[in-house]
């Protein structure tokens, strides 16, 4: 046992570091989003707790920890407790395959991309189980929506990535990054980039595609009955998800850690942060579509485009002579 | 699609605009004298309570947060024995002030009245009563009303003739 | 029926009424002041102006006053054209010229007819720029407050007080814009109906003084339909509550009983529920104890027979529960053998003869009152009889084609068209003074003459021993023979069963199907006790012997009369376990007393003089440890393992058990259950603040299990269901009690609708003669026979606990013949003693006293004197000065108590008992 630990000490430290850094960053993102939203709406956002309100998330965390950890008497108790854990854990697992620098990656797996897709698919269980276990009509509706939405968008999320895979010839994310040393895939795979971005938003239930928790219609959707630390897990999961999607886009389309002059991690962070900002801007600017609009947009527009992208990319690869 | 992109651009450009937020506790906004804030009970120009416990404010109150009981003092004036406003229910709508026939109940531009205990939001008469006439300096209900009180007999109110002698046969 | 066209809309209305009545019965908003549904029209205020048109081509029409215009078939009028609406606004403008701008400090505000009418006509600004006329007010006694400035000279007060109620000391004075309504000088209003001025006055000239001391606006009060407790008439009243205390009683319209008016005993007597003497804790020998205390439990579980004594002041439910607990064979219904006998007799008569309602009595064309002072024992019936006196005059004006609601016409011909009113007996009172035929006789002679009267009417009727018929009796016989709707009135106040028997015999002898009978029992629920008596009872005389012969416990339902207290004292010598259920703490003895809630705090039913069952609802919550008596009795039943009673959980189950025993009651009780009615008006204020000083957690409103009235704003509003009595009378735009017309027809027309309700005592058509009994012929041996008389204020022991009534109560007096006075050398106003009785009596001298008798009045709280006395002596100076001192001290105490009472109630407002509210601490 001990030898195992010593053998993989570097790995364990990396995992610990990742978790220790990612979760606080996820929490910080909440504050960051609220500030950014504030600026885009000509106000300040939270600016009271600590310098620039930076400790707001800490304050929120303390508050949420001290809240009554309540399980409704009508809920399915084990599932109710399990659901938020699945959400947070599945997202955290995905980070394992993201290469932040050439060296900073937990598992430089050669099926990294597939692992990422698998984990995001698992995340939907969290939502649908939460909706089911809450035994509440709003939660149930939210859960159903989440399931339908995730299943739909997962399809062309995968399809849109195949272009990248074709170009790089690998499922290993580090290799995909290295394959972009001459040209970021955002240029040849622009369509794939856009589709992946849309699908990513839908997968992480971010606005404007946050129909599972649309508060104007469904109170808070699948997490209506949640409070305290379980709610915090959902919340954290959502922000980690946003971060994950941003990282994946960076990795797959924007050349990952690569860039001149600055150290690789800085480039990675800058690219990710800009994408996060873009996600927040979407939230600030765009209204939420109707659910049927969301699905028909997915199946009628995005899927054909993704297939087209795949076919064209494959054709160019086969006969274009790159 | 284009309009979505324009929206995104426009919203993004707000980043470079000035914020409209008023930094409230440091930066006090101007509240007009007729602003609807904390409720007070005022006194007439002679320094007596204006409230005659007519109950109209209580009836007008949409959240029923005013309760009072009338009593009549030795001097013939009506007064509230108790006058209670439950500010934890009050919505500062100002209907009580509109309803008050004696200008007794008035809203002030003081809006900072948060408490940790709800019971502390229950104001009794001694908390509500102020020393001055508030916004209306000259009005005194008993000078207008025909009821007699100590120091003002029948026929001594504004625009009244002295009491008639009903035994007199003179026209 | 007549078809009339109002504003081009055709309506069908009843004949014989005036246009105003017709419009109001059609629920139209037509302003008016001087007209009153019970008092007819005089056309004094011109407020109800409308325009009448000849035919459909007539576009101009002419202004008419609706209350003076009879409806005729095919008449065309308009109510909403500019011509008449502008005229009506001008009228209000003129009436308001001198109005003093003091609505906020006026007790009428919020239920003021003048306010309503001013808003209705659209008048909002004083047009006249000159000075306002002002008046000095008068002190009108402890009941009525006077504020003359507010007067609009509609003359309603004078018309009610003088014409309707027969008062003599209030009238219009002076002329022009100086017209003044008041007494000749300051002083208490003499009429016992003065309280109605408060409701009759369309504005705030006359206001309720005790209510003003602890005032609340109408909209703020939680109101419950209730029944008056102060005599057997069973007048319908509304109790109003605010901050946990009952504030006032107002009239609740019942077309067959009280109509629009109450007597002052009923209106102001309710205050006993707020008395300091209300018992609030379980007490043992004067010490507060708890239910679970060993000694209390031991007393309640004591072995031996339990003897129960019922009470005519308690509800039917309470008495029934007591009867169940002790068993019918141990249930005693009366304080003395005589009243037990009277009750038996009364029930026998009630089974033979239905009793007339007040509205029916008002239609009588000949009235014979036999041995009863109806004006004092049941004042409201007296008032109804007074209205019957107008019938001949009404008939007379009808004969010449003038409608009978033309009040001044009727009054004009009244002196020459009197309705015969015969009074036989020794009773004094206002009606006796108006009698056209009067025979002064003591109770025995009264009974004899009444038997003879029956015999004159029908020869089969049994005769008494004497045979000398007074000329007055012959006259009465003639009157009765010719009368179409004669009314015979009798009662208990002579305390003589012969009188009651005679009254029944007269009815039988008359054999007139239109004939009416009214016998007034002494207390609110006397007939209720009589009903329970049918299931069996323990004779009064047997109680003491039973207590002596075996080990007995005594369980007593509260009755405040002095005779009850005295009897209890004798009984308590025979047993050492007396348990009283009482609302008012009286006397210090070794009994265990359980505090019970008053009629204002719980539901209950009672039977009025007709045997009509009426229920009252709680207006407030019981304070302290008070609970309804039946609940205590159920708990006792649990302790003593009386299975039937112990299973009762709420009043509905008790009602079910009663219905099984008395099937006639079932219908009434099922009517009670079902829908929920709001007792608070939509404007009820302060809900989130009135308890805020105690708790900010706004508790759920209190509600009695299964009660049809809910102590909240939720539920049906008044008038949404005709079957149930109104909790309060209010309709949009009609805040005053005049809103009544929105719920029922204002018109008590020539055809009186039959009385609704359940009569608990079924009438059997076969009836028998009551024979003269030998024991009735016995004479007293004393020099002077004492004949007890009653007073409106003073004879009702319950009302004596109300401060205002206490102030009006007279001290004891005797009435003697002038020749007796001169022979004894005493003068009116002097103080005398009778034999060695400690009480001092003031002397009054009157011709209307039977020979060898004296009339005696002693207040309910002073020991009564039995049959006769031998010696009347002028009281010694020491005694008189002692009495004066005592009276002075009593007055001081009273005024002090009044202040304390007021202060206590005001303090109580801030400490509303909330222990009964769900969700409170």
């Amino acid at each position: 046992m001990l030898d195992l630990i010593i053998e993989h000490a570097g790995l364990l430290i990396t995992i610990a570091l990742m978790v220790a850094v990612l979760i606080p960053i996820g929490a910080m993102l909440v504050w960051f989003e609220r500030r950014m939203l504030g600026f885009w709406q000509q106000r300040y956002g939270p600016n009271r707790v600590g310098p620039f309100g930076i400790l707001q998330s800490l304050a929120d965390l303390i508050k949420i920890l001290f809240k009554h950890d309540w399980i409704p008497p009508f809920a399915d108790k084990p599932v109710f407790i399990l659901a938020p854990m699945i959400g947070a854990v599945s997202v955290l697992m995905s980070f394992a395959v993201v290469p932040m620098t050439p060296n900073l990656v937990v598992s430089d797996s050669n099926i990294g991309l597939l692992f990422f897709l698998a984990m995001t698919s698992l995340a939907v269980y969290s939502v649908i189980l939460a909706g089911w276990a809450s035994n509440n009509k709003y939660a149930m509706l939210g859960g159903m929506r989440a399931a339908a939405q995730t299943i739909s968008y997962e399809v062309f999320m995968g399809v849109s990535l195949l272009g990248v895979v074709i170009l790089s010839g690998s499922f290993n994310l580090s290799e995909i990054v290295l394959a972009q040393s001459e040209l970021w895939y955002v240029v040849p795979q622009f369509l794939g980039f856009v589709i992946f971005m849309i699908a990513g938003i839908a997968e992480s239930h971010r606005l404007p595609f946050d129909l599972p928790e649309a508060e104007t219609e469904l109170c808070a959707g699948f997490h209506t009955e949640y409070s305290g630390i379980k709610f915090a897990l959902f919340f954290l999961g959502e922000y980690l998800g946003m971060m994950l999607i941003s990282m994946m886009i960076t990795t797959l389309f924007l050349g990952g850690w690569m860039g001149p002059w600055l150290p690789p991690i800085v480039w990675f962070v800058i690219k990710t942060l800009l994408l996060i900002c873009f996600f927040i801007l979407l939230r600030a600017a765009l209204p939420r579509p109707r659910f049927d609009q969301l699905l028909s947009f997915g199946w009628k527009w995005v899927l054909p485009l993704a297939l087209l992208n795949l076919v064209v990319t494959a054709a160019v690869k086969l006969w274009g002579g790159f | 699609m284009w309009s979505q992109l324009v929206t995104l651009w426009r919203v993004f450009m707000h980043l470079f605009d000035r914020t409209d937020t008023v930094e409230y506790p440091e930066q006090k906004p101007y509240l007009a004298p007729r602003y609807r804030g904390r409720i007070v009970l005022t006194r007439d120009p002679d320094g007596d309570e204006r409230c005659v416990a007519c109950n109209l404010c209580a009836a007008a109150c949409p959240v029923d947060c005013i309760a009072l009981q009338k009593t009549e003092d030795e001097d013939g004036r009506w007064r509230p024995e108790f006058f209670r406003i439950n500010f934890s229910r009050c919505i500062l709508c100002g209907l009580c002030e509109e309803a008050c026939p004696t200008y007794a109940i008035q809203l002030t531009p003081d809006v900072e009245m948060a408490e940790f205990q709800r019971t502390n939001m229950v104001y009794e008469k001694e908390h509500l009563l102020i020393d001055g006439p508030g916004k209306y300096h000259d009005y005194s209900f008993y000078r207008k009303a025909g009821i007699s009180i100590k120091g003002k007999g029948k026929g001594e109110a504004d625009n009244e003739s002295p009491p008639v002698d009903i035994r007199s046969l003179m026209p | 029926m007549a078809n009339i066209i109002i504003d081009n809309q055709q309506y069908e209305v009843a004949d014989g009424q005036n246009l105003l009545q017709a419009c109001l019965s059609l629920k139209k908003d037509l302003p008016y002041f001087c007209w009153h549904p019970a008092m007819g029209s005089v056309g004094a205020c011109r407020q109800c102006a409308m325009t009448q048109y000849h035919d459909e081509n007539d576009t101009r029409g002419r202004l008419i006053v609706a209350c003076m215009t009879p409806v005729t078939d095919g008449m065309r009028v308009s109510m909403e054209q500019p011509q008449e609406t502008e005229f009506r606004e001008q009228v209000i403008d003129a009436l308001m010229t001198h109005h003093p701008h003091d609505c906020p400090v006026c007790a009428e505000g919020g239920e003021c007819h003048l306010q309503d009418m001013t808003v209705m006509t659209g008048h909002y600004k004083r047009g006249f720029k000159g000075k306002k006329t002002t008046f000095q007010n008068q002190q009108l006694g402890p009941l009525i407050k006077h504020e003359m400035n507010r007067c609009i000279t509609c003359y309603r007060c004078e018309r009610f007080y003088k014409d309707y109620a027969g008062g003599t000391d209030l009238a219009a004075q002076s002329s022009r814009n100086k017209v003044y309504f008041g007494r000749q000088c300051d002083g208490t209003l003499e009429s016992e109906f003065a309280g109605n001025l408060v409701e009759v006055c369309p504005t705030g000239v006359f206001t309720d003084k005790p209510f003003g001391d602890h005032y609340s606006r109408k909209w703020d009060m939680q109101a419950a339909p209730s029944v008056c407790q102060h005599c057997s008439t069973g007048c319908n009243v509304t109790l109003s509550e605010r901050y946990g205390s009952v504030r006032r009683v107002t009239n609740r319209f019942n077309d067959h009983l009280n109509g629009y008016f109450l007597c002052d005993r009923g209106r102001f007597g309710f205050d006993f529920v707020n008395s300091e003497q209300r018992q609030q804790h379980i007490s043992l020998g004067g010490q507060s104890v708890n239910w679970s205390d060993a000694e209390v439990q031991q007393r309640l579980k004591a072995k031996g027979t339990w003897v129960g004594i019922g009470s005519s002041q308690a509800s039917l439910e309470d008495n029934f529960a007591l009867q169940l607990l002790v068993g019918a064979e141990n249930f005693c219904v009366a304080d003395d053998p005589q009243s037990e006998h009277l009750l038996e007799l009364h029930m026998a008569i009630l089974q033979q003869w239905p009793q007339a309602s007040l509205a029916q009595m008002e239609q009588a064309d000949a009235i014979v009152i036999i041995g009863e002072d109806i004006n004092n024992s049941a004042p409201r019936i007296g008032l109804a009889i007074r209205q019957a006196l107008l019938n001949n005059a009404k008939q007379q004006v009808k004969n010449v084609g003038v409608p009978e609601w033309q009040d001044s016409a009727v009054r004009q011909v009244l002196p020459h068209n009197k309705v015969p009113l015969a009074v036989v007996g020794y009773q004094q009172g206002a009606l006796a003074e108006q009698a056209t035929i009067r025979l002064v006789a003591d109770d025995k002679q009264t009974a004899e003459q009444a038997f003879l009267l029956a015999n004159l009417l029908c020869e089969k009727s049994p005769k008494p021993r004497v045979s000398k018929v007074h000329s007055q009796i012959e006259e009465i016989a003639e009157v009765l023979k010719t009368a179409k709707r004669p009314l015979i009135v009798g009662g208990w106040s002579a305390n003589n069963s012969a009188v009651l028997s005679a009254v029944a015999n007269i009815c039988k002898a008359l054999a007139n199907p239109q004939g009416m009978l009214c016998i007034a029992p002494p207390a609110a629920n006397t007939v209720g006790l009589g009903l329970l008596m049918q299931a069996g009872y323990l004779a009064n005389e047997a109680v003491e012997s039973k207590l002596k012969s075996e080990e007995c416990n005594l369980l007593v339902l509260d009755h405040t009369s002095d005779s009850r207290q005295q009897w209890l004292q004798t009984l308590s010598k025979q047993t050492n376990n007396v348990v009283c259920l009482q609302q008012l703490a009286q006397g210090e003895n070794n009994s265990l007393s359980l505090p019970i809630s008053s009629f204002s705090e719980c539901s209950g039913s009672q039977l009025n003089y007709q045997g009509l069952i009426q229920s009252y609802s709680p207006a407030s919550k019981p304070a302290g440890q008070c609970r309804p008596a039946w609940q205590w009795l159920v708990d006792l039943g649990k302790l003593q393992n009386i299975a039937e009673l112990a299973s009762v959980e709420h009043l509905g189950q008790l009602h079910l058990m009663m219905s099984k025993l008395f099937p006639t009651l079932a219908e009434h009780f099922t009517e009670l259950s079902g829908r929920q009615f709001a007792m608070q008006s939509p404007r009820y204020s302060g809900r989130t603040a009135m308890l805020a000083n105690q708790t900010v957690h706004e508790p759920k409103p209190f509600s009695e299990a299964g009660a049809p009235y809910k102590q909240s704003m939720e539920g049906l509003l008044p008038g949404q269901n005709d079957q149930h009595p109104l909790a309060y009378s209010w309709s949009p735009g009609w805040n005053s009690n005049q809103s009544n017309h929105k719920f029922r027809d204002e018109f008590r027309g020539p055809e009186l609708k039959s009385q609704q309700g359940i009569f608990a005592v079924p009438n059997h058509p076969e009836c028998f003669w009551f024979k003269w009994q030998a024991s009735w012929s016995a004479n007293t041996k004393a020099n002077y026979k004492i004949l007890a008389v009653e007073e409106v204020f003073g004879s009702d022991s319950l009302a004596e606990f109300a401060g205002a009534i206490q102030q009006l109560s007279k001290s004891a007096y005797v009435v003697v013949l002038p020749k007796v006075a001169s022979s004894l050398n005493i003068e009116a106003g002097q103080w005398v003693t009778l034999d060695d009785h400690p009480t001092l009596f003031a002397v009054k001298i009157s011709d209307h006293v039977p020979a060898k008798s004296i009339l005696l009045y002693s207040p309910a709280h002073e020991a009564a004197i039995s049959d006769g006395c031998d010696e009347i002596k002028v009281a010694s100076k020491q005694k008189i000065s002692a009495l004066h001192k005592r009276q002075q001290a009593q007055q001081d105490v009273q005024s002090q108590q009044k202040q304390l009472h007021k202060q206590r109630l005001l303090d109580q407002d801030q400490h509303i008992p909330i222990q009964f509210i769900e969700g409170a601490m």
Side-chain angles (χ1 to χ4, degrees), chain C residues 526-590:
Chain C
T526 308
V527 181
L529 270 185
L531 185 76
L532 294 180
M533 196 179 178
Q534 293 173 347
Y537 65 98
L538 177 65
N540 177 279
E541 281 158 319
V543 173
E544 205 166 338
S545 56
K546 189 167 181 123
L547 290 187
K548 265 183 200 162
S549 62
E550 52 183 306
E551 199 187 329
C552 278
N553 309 291
L554 206 54
L555 187 54
V556 187
L557 255 182
D558 174 47
H559 196 293
T560 49
S561 76
D562 190 64
S563 60
R564 165 66 65 95
Q565 302 307 322
Q566 282 186 342
W567 189 45
L568 279 188
Q569 277 188 356
T570 9
L571 288 183
S572 61
K573 285 172 197 148
Q574 309 297 337
T575 172
N576 44 21
N577 189 11
V578 181
V579 179
C580 296
L581 293 152
Q582 57 183 14
Q583 44 182 338
L584 292 147
Q586 275 178 311
E588 293 279 314
N589 47 31
N590 193 27

Side-chain angles (χ1 to χ4, degrees), chain C residues 456-674:
Chain C
L456 282 182
L457 292 168
C458 172
E459 287 176 356
K460 285 182 204 157
S461 174
K463 275 187 174 181
R465 290 221 184 120
V466 289
S467 54
K468 181 179 174 281
V469 180
H470 280 274
S471 60
Q472 286 99 324
I473 294 298
E474 281 164 356
E475 262 180 82
I476 296 172
E478 285 314 305
V479 165
L480 285 180
K481 275 177 190 163
T482 51
K484 282 196 204 101
R485 286 191 298 272
L487 167 68
I488 319 290
V489 180
W492 289 39
S493 61
N495 204 19
N496 189 330
S497 1
V499 174
L500 276 196
S501 314
V503 168
N505 278 357
I506 294 173
C507 269
K508 185 165 162 63
L510 256 180
N512 182 345
Q514 301 258 38
M516 291 179 280
L517 172 69
C518 163
I519 299 178
N525 199 21
T526 308
V527 181
L529 270 185
L531 185 76
L532 294 180
M533 196 179 178
Q534 293 173 347
Y537 65 98
L538 177 65
N540 177 279
E541 281 158 319
V543 173
E544 205 166 338
S545 56
K546 189 167 181 123
L547 290 187
K548 265 183 200 162
S549 62
E550 52 183 306
E551 199 187 329
C552 278
N553 309 291
L554 206 54
L555 187 54
V556 187
L557 255 182
D558 174 47
H559 196 293
T560 49
S561 76
D562 190 64
S563 60
R564 165 66 65 95
Q565 302 307 322
Q566 282 186 342
W567 189 45
L568 279 188
Q569 277 188 356
T570 9
L571 288 183
S572 61
K573 285 172 197 148
Q574 309 297 337
T575 172
N576 44 21
N577 189 11
V578 181
V579 179
C580 296
L581 293 152
Q582 57 183 14
Q583 44 182 338
L584 292 147
Q586 275 178 311
E588 293 279 314
N589 47 31
N590 193 27
S591 65
L592 171 68
S593 61
L594 305 172
I596 61 172
S597 27
S598 288
F599 79 115
S600 63
E601 295 152 5
C602 62
S603 292
S605 315
Q606 60 191 43
L607 303 186
N608 80 344
Y609 72 102
Q610 299 174 288
L612 176 76
I613 182 164
Q614 300 193 99
S615 293
Y616 47 80
S617 292
S620 63
K621 310 154 196 55
Q625 294 176 324
C626 290
R627 298 167 77 204
W630 64 266
Q631 269 184 0
W632 286 123
L633 290 166
V634 165
D635 284 351
L636 271 173
K638 281 176 188 157
L639 287 183
Q640 296 174 14
N641 293 323
I642 314 269
E644 203 179 6
L645 192 61
S647 66
V648 172
E649 272 164 19
H650 57 82
L651 206 54
Q653 294 171 338
L654 204 61
H655 284 160
L656 219 63
M657 288 158 81
M658 282 168 82
S659 309
K660 270 185 206 149
L661 207 57
F662 307 103
T664 41
L665 302 181
E667 197 179 332
H668 176 77
F669 289 139
T670 46
E671 244 173 46
L672 276 182
S673 57

Side-chain angles (χ1 to χ4, degrees), chain A residues 258-319:
Chain A
M258 290 193 296
W261 309 306
L262 295 171
I265 185 72
V266 176
W267 273 114
F268 188 81
V269 168
I270 288 173
K271 288 174 188 174
T272 308
L273 206 59
L274 283 175
L275 279 167
I276 288 174
C277 284
F278 180 70
F279 277 123
I280 296 169
L281 180 62
L282 282 179
R283 175 177 176 179
L286 295 184
R288 185 187 301 130
R290 235 170 36 222
F291 191 64
D292 61 322
Q293 289 170 336
L294 178 77
L295 286 189
S296 61
F297 176 67
W299 291 107
K300 290 182 188 163
W301 290 94
V302 185
L303 183 64
L305 281 174
L307 287 172
L308 182 72
N309 180 46
L310 175 62
V311 171
V312 170
T313 310
V316 169
K317 179 82 182 173
L318 275 178
W319 300 301

Side-chain angles (χ1 to χ4, degrees), chain A residues 115-129:
Chain A
F115 182 79
F116 159 73
L117 287 174
M119 281 300 130
T120 45
S121 315
L122 267 184
V124 74
Y125 281 100
S126 149
V127 178
I128 194 163
L129 288 179

Side-chain angles (χ1 to χ4, degrees), chain C residues 358-392:
Chain C
L358 271 67
Q360 286 162 344
M361 290 187 219
E362 283 180 14
Q363 297 183 328
D365 61 353
I367 299 138
V368 181
I369 303 177
I370 293 172
E372 176 64 20
D373 184 7
I374 197 77
N375 238 1
N376 288 322
S377 58
R380 185 63 187 85
I381 296 181
L383 189 63
I385 291 172
R386 194 178 277 283
Q387 303 323 307
L389 300 180
L390 290 175
N391 282 339
N392 280 358

Side-chain angles (χ1 to χ4, degrees), chain B residues 63-143:
Chain B
V63 290
D64 286 351
C65 74
I66 305 178
L68 66 154
Q69 168 60 45
K70 172 249 168 182
T71 182
E72 201 169 324
D73 288 351
E74 294 291 305
D75 56 6
R77 283 171 175 254
W78 282 31
R79 287 204 179 86
E81 169 73 18
F82 70 89
F83 193 108
R84 185 180 306 132
I85 297 182
N86 182 353
F87 276 108
S88 69
R89 283 287 185 187
C90 181
I91 54 170
L92 302 174
C93 66
L95 287 181
C96 49
E97 184 175 9
E98 300 253 329
C100 185
T102 65
Y103 292 136
I105 197 164
Q106 295 180 15
L107 273 69
T108 60
D110 172 17
V111 291
E112 295 170 335
M113 44 189 315
E115 297 281 352
F116 286 104
Q117 294 284 324
R118 266 179 77 193
T119 42
N120 292 347
M121 299 289 278
V122 179
Y123 281 42
E124 297 286 345
K125 185 164 110 175
E126 64 263 32
H127 309 127
L128 295 165
L129 200 60
I130 61 165
D131 283 336
K135 286 173 273 189
Y136 308 93
H137 302 291
D138 305 322
Y139 186 78
S140 170
F141 170 75
Y142 284 106
R143 279 189 216 149

